[in-house]
Amino acid sequence: MAKEFVKDVTAMDEDFAKWYTDVVTKADLIDYSSVRGCMIIRPYGYALWDNIKNALDAKIKETGHENVYMPLFIPESLLQKEKDHVKGFAPEVAWVTHGGEEKLQERLVVRPTSETLFCEHYANIIHSYRDLPKLYNQWANVVRWEKTTRPFLRTLEFLWQEGHTAHATQEEAQEETLRMLNVYAQICEKYLAIPVLKGQKTEKEKFAGAEATYTIETLMHDGKALQSGTSHNFGDGFARAFDIKYLDKEGKQQFVHQTSWGFTTRIIGALIMVHGDNRGLVVPPRIAPTQVMIVPIAQHKEGVLDFAYDLKERLRKVARVEIDASDKKPGWKFNEYEMKGIPIRLEVGPKDIENKQVVLARRDSGEKIFVALDELEEKLPALLEEIQNDLYNKALNHREENTFTVQTLDAFKSQLENKQGFIKAMWCGDQACEDKIKEETSATSRCIPFDQEQVSHTCICCGKSADKMVVWAKAY
Amino acid sequence: MAKEFVKDVTAMDEDFAKWYTDVVTKADLIDYSSVRGCMIIRPYGYALWDNIKNALDAKIKETGHENVYMPLFIPESLLQKEKDHVKGFAPEVAWVTHGGEEKLQERLVVRPTSETLFCEHYANIIHSYRDLPKLYNQWANVVRWEKTTRPFLRTLEFLWQEGHTAHATQEEAQEETLRMLNVYAQICEKYLAIPVLKGQKTEKEKFAGAEATYTIETLMHDGKALQSGTSHNFGDGFARAFDIKYLDKEGKQQFVHQTSWGFTTRIIGALIMVHGDNRGLVVPPRIAPTQVMIVPIAQHKEGVLDFAYDLKERLRKVARVEIDASDKKPGWKFNEYEMKGIPIRLEVGPKDIENKQVVLARRDSGEKIFVALDELEEKLPALLEEIQNDLYNKALNHREENTFTVQTLDAFKSQLENKQGFIKAMWCGDQACEDKIKEETSATSRCIPFDQEQVSHTCICCGKSADKMVVWAKAY
């Protein structure tokens, strides 16, 4: 392949952060704009998001939820109704102070999240137990005034869905909170081929205003963690602040119990950093906008292009197939679709036509497979499934190889100096210990996993007896 | 039907504006929030928008466009690059002046439309004729600081799609501008059953920064017009302001030619005011979230509910069918689904089961039809198509009956005093006359229709010779 065709990316091992920004731009996922911290999501990046969104939206609807749309703005006084919530969000919001030529009497916040708006609406429409549960979701943009930003991982504006539900009892709210955490886990594992660690956030790390926050944590190629989806049980805290009551079957006024849960464009960052390699992006087949790219070889020769177009029409029934019949050289095309992480490249030239076969090149392993023409309808979907599973297993292996158990704070530190990853360690439950561990290691508690192990009997920080295993990591 | 089940709406003839707000709230389309001029789009309203959006998105993709996502904010300096554009929009934008605790060095506008962002991006990614055309679209929220607002029709924030394209030549840009206007016309006529009037806006009414604006205008039940979709040809005006150039095949630098086109949640207002009646909403079958609502009669009797559920499963293959098996009385249900405008109510009770038939009640005409059980798969889709066509024809008749031709300004005024509608009249092309007509009649020029007629030979205002027929109306 001639050098001029190659859009080089920095090697992962050399500079992981540079590799990441090379990939997001050279795979045409994003462009920068003159708006600080906001990105332009280009067609290929948006098509990825659309596929993730469609898969998640179907599950959200299957589990009985309905989509709605709430205002972009929140009046300052509304944001202030729940005290923990405003304390958590006020320092990082964008303020609208003027409309047209006029100064506003009350400042408006550009929504960083919409609990307060949903609460106000719920107070208005919930009256009786017959109105419950309310299972609402919205797809929207939100803004958080971050100081440092990186495409997908942390941007001033991002796209997400936020579910907001109201229930008659605390038990139902808790079921819902965990149900939606499991939906997120399924999307990650089955569609994005990313294994997740499920657990509960510590008090320190929970969402502003929540009673309990649950999370799915994923491990990136460089050993850092990424919080990939969260689900919150609010108890009746917001209901008390916003006076959301219903008349129960016995005719008594009761506060509702609420949840919220969110999943964002950030997951595209996880996709890149879990599956990508030094040649660019690697996209799991189930969410790939294009699963198979046909690249005709010696396409100027008679019959090749017609044959390739016919093949595309045939194979469209079993996969998302595109063809690149442009006059660019095959080497340029190979490089382009490797950078974009398209799962399979299908090469077909005069010799292949003669031999009634094509070449399938796997993006993930580089393997090239000759397949007889009349077997394509059967072998192509099977190969896509195989790639999907291989990507998941590879990511799972990587996570297992980079999950470490420590019994002391010293061992914790030297592990991180040696190699980053998930660190399993016991914790007494005292926030002072959590703070100290963070201060000394720069690692944060990712979660208290649902699958607990007694990896020792004492807190690695204070030495007191401890029954909680926490997974720690440096995080994005 | 017992009185207590009826959610009354004000009669149309009594107070059309009140009728409208009654319908949007009682059909559960929207709720008000404490954010001035912003509405909450409730599940039923959002499902309507989703169906419109999906139909339009499919056509946008069929015509070769790709979806992207641009930032919510526009730096003040970027908005100011095209002079007509900033003059048109600056007075009606929301300004972000603070991020977190800090005052911003440069104010940000919450996007009222995204021409400037697309231009900046295009200047960055377009280099050669090979990069053209660029056919981008985005689905987004936008904000315009309106003084008076009404749900769907005019809100501070609304949802829309905005297409933005760049082409090598002015001819291609003009083709694109008209292609997308026709796509909007199709969505209105084929899906929403709303006839449209296609034409060009006058200089006075065109989009800020455009060379030419084309529009589809629709006529509401009360004889007022609603601008329902616009498509703009920018020529190379924005390209010059933003320096968007490409190298042509001869190696010469050329400015691109651009278009933009938008379609918004406002169309739901049109849907309400074109098809609705004194019992509430009437939704055309093709975009109805629920096309057939099954209401079991005497559902406590053995076998009725099982029968109704089986019917739902059977009919799901031919239509979007739901069932209301709640313990509310049938009268209440009838009223509820009439208010929501569900095209067909299917009633089935013990007698019907015995007679192997059901009752289909049309929402639009009130007609009740007995259909044999084994004919439902055939008759139901046919009836939905018939309703769709009848709604369109009814709306078309209404428009024709309310389109008037005048030869003098006095006739114009007395027509509007007598009855509102589309007014066809000749215009000399002078803006002074256009201004005067508006001042004296409160009607604005809706468009210069593509289908021209010579309804007289002189301008109704100045009496000079005139060759342009304009359609005028009071408008939302």
Side-chain angles (χ1 to χ4, degrees):
Chain A
M1 196 185 313
K3 184 68 185 165
E4 69 261 31
F5 298 130
V6 180
K7 289 189 190 175
D8 281 325
V9 294
T10 306
M12 273 184 166
D13 292 346
E14 200 177 294
D15 185 342
F16 194 77
K18 181 79 168 44
W19 168 84
Y20 179 81
T21 47
D22 280 355
V23 172
V24 291
T25 51
K26 293 184 179 174
D28 292 344
L29 296 177
I30 68 126
D31 192 15
Y32 296 99
S33 77
S34 62
V35 195
R36 182 185 81 80
C38 293
M39 62 183 170
I40 293 166
I41 308 182
R42 301 189 64 183
Y44 192 54
Y46 198 83
L48 267 178
W49 176 240
D50 239 7
N51 284 353
I52 296 167
K53 183 180 160 175
N54 289 339
L56 179 53
D57 193 60
K59 293 236 180 276
I60 287 173
K61 284 174 179 156
E62 263 171 48
T63 44
H65 302 82
E66 297 177 294
N67 286 331
V68 299
Y69 188 76
M70 290 282 156
L72 172 66
F73 300 128
I74 306 171
E76 186 167 10
S77 57
L78 191 67
L79 188 72
Q80 284 170 338
K81 277 201 168 182
E82 211 287 337
K83 280 176 193 169
D84 292 333
H85 190 67
V86 68
K87 214 164 61 184
F89 281 103
E92 55 169 50
V93 295
W95 293 99
V96 174
T97 57
H98 291 73
E101 314 288 313
E102 262 172 66
K103 191 175 175 195
L104 303 186
Q105 290 190 322
E106 180 179 12
R107 299 194 298 173
L108 299 173
V109 159
V110 181
R111 66 180 161 217
T113 178
S114 307
E115 276 74 11
T116 53
L117 292 164
F118 275 89
C119 283
E120 185 186 39
H121 182 46
Y122 280 152
N124 203 15
I125 63 168
I126 294 172
H127 309 291
S128 135
Y129 69 92
R130 289 171 184 268
D131 299 323
L132 295 174
K134 279 277 177 272
L135 306 174
Y136 285 176
N137 175 64
Q138 83 169 347
W139 291 94
N141 55 341
V142 287
V143 171
R144 295 178 188 177
W145 209 260
E146 306 281 359
K147 289 212 169 63
T148 53
T149 60
R150 300 182 66 190
F152 295 117
L153 296 173
R154 197 170 292 278
T155 44
L156 287 201
E157 180 193 14
F158 57 87
L159 303 182
W160 77 345
Q161 63 64 225
E162 46 180 323
H164 295 268
T165 68
H167 306 264
T169 68
Q170 175 61 2
E171 292 69 38
E172 278 180 44
Q174 180 64 8
E175 264 175 43
E176 168 78 4
T177 310
L178 296 179
R179 180 183 303 120
M180 298 322 289
L181 190 77
N182 283 324
V183 163
Y184 291 160
Q186 274 178 42
I187 292 294
C188 281
E189 299 198 328
K190 305 259 184 246
Y191 290 85
L192 294 154
I194 299 176
V196 303
L197 175 72
K198 288 189 265 187
Q200 185 171 354
K201 287 282 182 190
T202 61
E203 284 296 300
K204 174 186 164 81
E205 298 287 340
K206 75 181 189 187
F207 182 83
E211 268 190 12
T213 288
Y214 301 91
T215 181
I216 50 170
E217 299 283 327
T218 56
L219 192 67
M220 303 299 103
H221 195 86
D222 63 346
K224 282 194 187 153
L226 188 80
Q227 178 180 303
S228 299
T230 49
S231 187
H232 318 289
N233 187 335
F234 290 128
D236 61 5
F238 274 93
R240 286 175 189 275
F242 285 84
D243 201 33
I244 314 173
K245 279 189 271 197
Y246 71 96
L247 214 58
D248 71 11
K249 286 182 185 170
E250 282 72 45
K252 264 180 63 183
Q253 291 280 350
Q254 304 279 4
F255 286 110
V256 301
H257 293 77
Q258 288 170 272
T259 82
S260 84
W261 25 277
F263 195 80
T264 84
T265 35
R266 161 168 250 223
I267 203 67
I268 294 174
L271 174 78
I272 298 164
M273 292 195 290
V274 168
H275 300 305
D277 63 22
N278 283 336
R279 288 176 299 139
L281 207 58
V282 176
V283 182
R286 286 212 195 124
I287 55 138
T290 301
Q291 295 173 316
V292 180
M293 179 60 78
I294 299 177
V295 177
I297 308 295
Q299 66 182 39
H300 58 282
K301 295 217 173 143
E302 206 193 318
V304 172
L305 273 183
D306 286 346
F307 191 89
Y309 274 109
D310 286 350
L311 205 55
K312 182 192 160 191
E313 281 312 301
R314 244 183 75 190
L315 297 179
R316 277 177 60 183
K317 285 153 203 148
V318 297
R320 293 189 287 276
V321 182
E322 296 294 339
I323 185 169
D324 185 346
S326 69
D327 57 6
K328 292 167 190 160
K329 295 193 180 159
W332 193 96
K333 295 179 187 174
F334 287 12
N335 192 253
E336 176 79 1
Y337 302 118
E338 282 182 354
M339 183 67 70
K340 289 193 165 165
I342 290 171
I344 294 174
R345 181 179 70 234
L346 187 157
E347 302 167 24
V348 59
K351 254 197 192 154
D352 302 307
I353 297 172
E354 211 181 296
N355 297 333
K356 296 192 175 142
Q357 66 178 25
V358 300
V359 179
L360 301 183
R362 283 177 66 154
R363 170 62 182 87
D364 61 328
S365 62
E367 191 189 355
K368 285 192 168 198
I369 309 157
F370 288 90
V371 177
L373 276 178
D374 57 8
E375 290 181 351
L376 273 172
E377 271 87 350
E378 183 196 335
K379 295 230 165 137
L380 207 50
L383 184 59
L384 288 167
E385 270 307 285
E386 191 183 323
I387 294 171
Q388 181 83 26
N389 292 333
D390 287 358
L391 286 176
Y392 178 80
N393 288 328
K394 195 177 159 196
L396 187 62
N397 282 342
H398 175 264
R399 191 185 75 180
E400 282 171 2
E401 282 166 12
N402 292 280
T403 299
F404 310 102
T405 300
V406 300
Q407 269 93 19
T408 66
L409 194 49
D410 281 342
F412 194 135
K413 288 183 213 168
S414 51
Q415 176 56 54
L416 283 187
E417 274 160 30
N418 179 30
K419 200 174 180 197
Q420 289 197 40
F422 278 161
I423 312 277
K424 294 178 174 175
M426 298 308 290
W427 174 56
C428 61
D430 189 340
Q431 196 179 315
C433 288
E434 189 181 0
D435 288 341
K436 194 177 167 203
I437 293 168
K438 183 178 175 183
E439 202 187 303
E440 299 206 0
T441 67
S442 313
T444 50
S445 74
R446 304 317 309 155
C447 68
I448 306 163
F450 292 155
D451 289 337
Q452 283 283 303
E453 296 163 52
Q454 188 83 30
V455 299
S456 76
H457 293 276
T458 54
C459 175
I460 54 155
C461 185
C462 66
K464 285 188 194 145
S465 102
D467 61 358
K468 281 187 183 66
M469 181 190 74
V470 168
V471 166
W472 311 78
K474 293 192 186 178
Y476 280 98
Chain B
M1 195 184 318
K3 183 69 183 164
E4 68 263 29
F5 298 129
V6 181
K7 289 189 190 176
D8 281 324
V9 294
T10 306
M12 274 184 168
D13 292 345
E14 200 177 293
D15 185 342
F16 193 77
K18 181 78 167 46
W19 168 84
Y20 179 82
T21 47
D22 280 357
V23 171
V24 290
T25 51
K26 292 185 180 175
D28 292 343
L29 297 178
I30 68 125
D31 192 16
Y32 297 98
S33 76
S34 63
V35 196
R36 181 185 81 80
C38 292
M39 62 182 172
I40 292 166
I41 308 181
R42 301 189 64 182
Y44 192 54
Y46 199 83
L48 267 179
W49 176 239
D50 239 6
N51 284 353
I52 297 168
K53 183 180 160 175
N54 289 339
L56 178 53
D57 193 60
K59 292 235 181 276
I60 287 173
K61 284 175 178 155
E62 264 171 47
T63 44
H65 302 82
E66 298 178 294
N67 285 331
V68 299
Y69 188 76
M70 291 283 155
L72 173 65
F73 300 128
I74 305 171
E76 186 167 10
S77 57
L78 192 67
L79 189 71
Q80 284 170 338
K81 277 202 168 183
E82 212 287 336
K83 282 176 190 168
D84 291 334
H85 190 67
V86 68
K87 214 163 64 183
F89 281 103
E92 55 169 48
V93 294
W95 294 98
V96 174
T97 57
H98 291 73
E101 314 288 312
E102 263 171 65
K103 191 174 175 196
L104 303 185
Q105 290 191 321
E106 179 179 14
R107 299 194 301 174
L108 299 173
V109 159
V110 181
R111 65 178 161 219
T113 180
S114 306
E115 276 73 12
T116 53
L117 292 164
F118 275 90
C119 283
E120 185 186 38
H121 182 45
Y122 280 153
N124 204 15
I125 63 168
I126 293 172
H127 309 291
S128 136
Y129 70 93
R130 288 171 186 269
D131 299 324
L132 295 175
K134 279 277 176 273
L135 305 174
Y136 285 175
N137 176 64
Q138 82 168 348
W139 290 95
N141 55 342
V142 287
V143 171
R144 297 181 187 175
W145 208 261
E146 306 280 0
K147 290 213 169 62
T148 53
T149 61
R150 300 182 66 189
F152 295 116
L153 297 173
R154 198 171 291 278
T155 44
L156 287 202
E157 181 193 14
F158 57 87
L159 304 182
W160 78 345
Q161 64 63 226
E162 46 179 323
H164 295 267
T165 67
H167 305 265
T169 67
Q170 174 61 2
E171 292 68 38
E172 279 180 44
Q174 180 65 7
E175 265 176 42
E176 168 78 6
T177 310
L178 296 179
R179 179 183 303 120
M180 299 320 290
L181 189 78
N182 283 325
V183 162
Y184 291 160
Q186 275 178 40
I187 292 294
C188 281
E189 300 197 328
K190 305 259 184 244
Y191 290 84
L192 294 153
I194 299 176
V196 303
L197 175 71
K198 287 189 265 187
Q200 185 171 354
K201 287 282 183 189
T202 61
E203 284 297 300
K204 175 186 164 81
E205 298 287 340
K206 75 181 187 186
F207 183 82
E211 267 190 10
T213 289
Y214 302 91
T215 181
I216 50 172
E217 299 284 325
T218 57
L219 192 67
M220 304 298 103
H221 195 85
D222 63 346
K224 282 194 186 150
L226 189 78
Q227 177 180 304
S228 299
T230 48
S231 187
H232 318 290
N233 187 335
F234 290 127
D236 60 6
F238 274 93
R240 285 174 190 275
F242 285 84
D243 201 31
I244 315 173
K245 280 189 270 195
Y246 70 97
L247 213 58
D248 70 13
K249 284 184 186 170
E250 282 73 44
K252 263 180 63 183
Q253 290 281 349
Q254 304 279 4
F255 287 109
V256 300
H257 293 76
Q258 288 172 272
T259 83
S260 85
W261 24 278
F263 196 82
T264 84
T265 35
R266 161 169 250 223
I267 203 67
I268 295 174
L271 175 78
I272 299 164
M273 292 195 289
V274 168
H275 300 304
D277 63 23
N278 283 336
R279 289 175 298 139
L281 206 58
V282 175
V283 182
R286 287 212 195 125
I287 57 138
T290 301
Q291 295 174 315
V292 180
M293 179 60 78
I294 300 176
V295 179
I297 308 296
Q299 65 181 41
H300 58 282
K301 296 219 172 140
E302 207 193 316
V304 172
L305 273 185
D306 286 346
F307 191 89
Y309 274 108
D310 287 350
L311 205 53
K312 181 192 160 192
E313 282 312 302
R314 244 183 74 190
L315 298 179
R316 275 176 62 183
K317 285 153 203 149
V318 297
R320 293 189 287 274
V321 182
E322 296 293 338
I323 185 169
D324 185 346
S326 70
D327 57 5
K328 293 166 189 162
K329 296 193 178 157
W332 193 97
K333 295 179 188 175
F334 287 12
N335 192 253
E336 176 78 2
Y337 303 118
E338 283 182 354
M339 184 66 70
K340 289 193 164 164
I342 290 170
I344 295 173
R345 180 179 71 235
L346 187 157
E347 302 168 23
V348 59
K351 255 199 191 150
D352 301 305
I353 296 172
E354 210 180 296
N355 297 334
K356 296 191 175 142
Q357 65 176 26
V358 300
V359 178
L360 302 183
R362 284 176 66 153
R363 169 62 182 90
D364 61 328
S365 63
E367 192 189 354
K368 283 192 169 200
I369 309 156
F370 289 89
V371 177
L373 275 178
D374 56 10
E375 290 181 350
L376 273 173
E377 272 86 351
E378 182 196 337
K379 297 231 165 136
L380 207 49
L383 184 58
L384 288 167
E385 271 306 286
E386 191 182 323
I387 294 171
Q388 181 82 26
N389 292 332
D390 287 357
L391 285 176
Y392 178 81
N393 288 328
K394 196 177 159 196
L396 187 62
N397 283 341
H398 175 263
R399 191 185 76 180
E400 282 172 1
E401 283 165 12
N402 292 278
T403 299
F404 311 103
T405 300
V406 300
Q407 269 92 20
T408 66
L409 193 51
D410 281 343
F412 193 135
K413 288 185 214 168
S414 51
Q415 177 55 53
L416 283 187
E417 273 161 30
N418 178 31
K419 201 175 181 198
Q420 289 196 40
F422 279 160
I423 312 278
K424 293 178 176 175
M426 298 310 287
W427 174 55
C428 61
D430 188 340
Q431 196 179 314
C433 288
E434 188 180 2
D435 289 340
K436 193 176 168 201
I437 294 168
K438 183 177 175 184
E439 202 188 300
E440 297 205 1
T441 66
S442 316
T444 49
S445 73
R446 303 317 308 153
C447 68
I448 307 163
F450 293 155
D451 289 337
Q452 282 283 304
E453 297 163 51
Q454 188 82 30
V455 299
S456 75
H457 293 276
T458 53
C459 174
I460 54 156
C461 186
C462 66
K464 286 188 193 143
S465 101
D467 62 358
K468 282 188 183 65
M469 180 189 75
V470 168
V471 166
W472 311 78
K474 293 193 186 178
Y476 280 97

